[in-house]
Amino acid sequence: MRTERHGVHHHLPPPGGWRRHVAHLPVTLFRVGLGPVLGRRLLLLHHTDRADGRLHHTVLETIEYDAERGCWILDSPADASWYLDLRAAPLTTVQVGNHHYAVTAHFPEADEAAEIMARHDADGPRRARRACPSGRMAENASARPHGRTGNPPAFVRLDAARGQRLP
């Protein structure tokens, strides 16, 4: 099924019923103070909707964290709502565990994106084997396109504001 919201084509409708509650469970865990239970790879992104200005919360998995530079790197389909929202308003906050950080979103140019992709793909087959223990998905992990849309991922680097104590 293909739908269009805010001028962007989405291939799957948003979940409804009990699936919606399950999809929002990680956000609820962050809100009640159980963010550390989800681990260090997940963060809660607070982003402003580009169409109506409402605040949204999305739980995302980081592909890389650089403690020296104080930045998190995320990948996304280029048509993801949160990605487009960050393009419109790059100043935001994230929550990692129970700590909030002011961040600025940066969108890497082609050369930096290629470096990130190389580092990420080097770990990709191992990550794919963990996700699918039978190994069937891992066999063609390098041949499969990224994301649901079949397009290469778009990367986002979230740089923490100076003076913050980072994890």
Side-chain angles (χ1 to χ4, degrees):
M1 179 176 182
R2 190 175 165 119
T3 61
E4 185 171 334
R5 290 188 309 251
H6 306 293
V8 177
H9 294 285
H10 297 273
H11 297 282
L12 297 175
W18 66 270
R19 288 184 178 107
R20 180 182 175 110
H21 293 294
V22 170
H24 287 285
L25 183 62
V27 174
T28 304
L29 291 174
F30 269 106
R31 284 185 176 172
V32 298
L34 295 175
V37 170
L38 298 173
R40 290 184 147 194
R41 293 193 66 91
L42 295 179
L43 60 80
L44 180 67
L45 175 72
H46 305 270
H47 55 99
T48 305
D49 191 296
R50 65 196 174 282
D52 60 14
R54 291 185 305 151
L55 185 63
H56 292 278
H57 308 281
T58 305
V59 174
L60 300 167
E61 181 181 8
T62 62
I63 61 169
E64 189 176 315
Y65 171 68
D66 185 352
E68 287 180 19
R69 291 176 54 189
C71 68
W72 293 267
I73 297 179
L74 312 168
D75 67 341
S76 166
D79 65 350
S81 182
W82 66 266
Y83 178 80
L84 296 171
D85 291 345
L86 281 181
R87 288 285 239 188
L91 297 174
T92 189
T93 51
V94 295
Q95 180 179 346
V96 179
N98 285 335
H99 302 283
H100 290 80
Y101 303 98
V103 295
T104 303
H106 296 279
F107 305 92
E109 297 295 328
D111 55 340
E112 185 181 356
E115 279 181 31
I116 294 168
M117 180 73 99
R119 288 192 308 261
H120 183 58
D121 282 348
D123 192 33
R126 182 175 50 173
R127 191 174 293 160
R129 278 193 297 276
R130 272 187 275 146
C132 182
S134 67
R136 288 189 202 123
M137 295 286 286
E139 292 170 359
N140 295 326
S142 60
R144 285 194 321 271
H146 296 279
R148 281 189 224 149
T149 61
N151 297 326
F155 293 103
V156 179
R157 187 181 74 237
L158 300 174
D159 293 327
R162 297 197 186 280
Q164 298 183 87
R165 185 173 172 204
L166 298 172

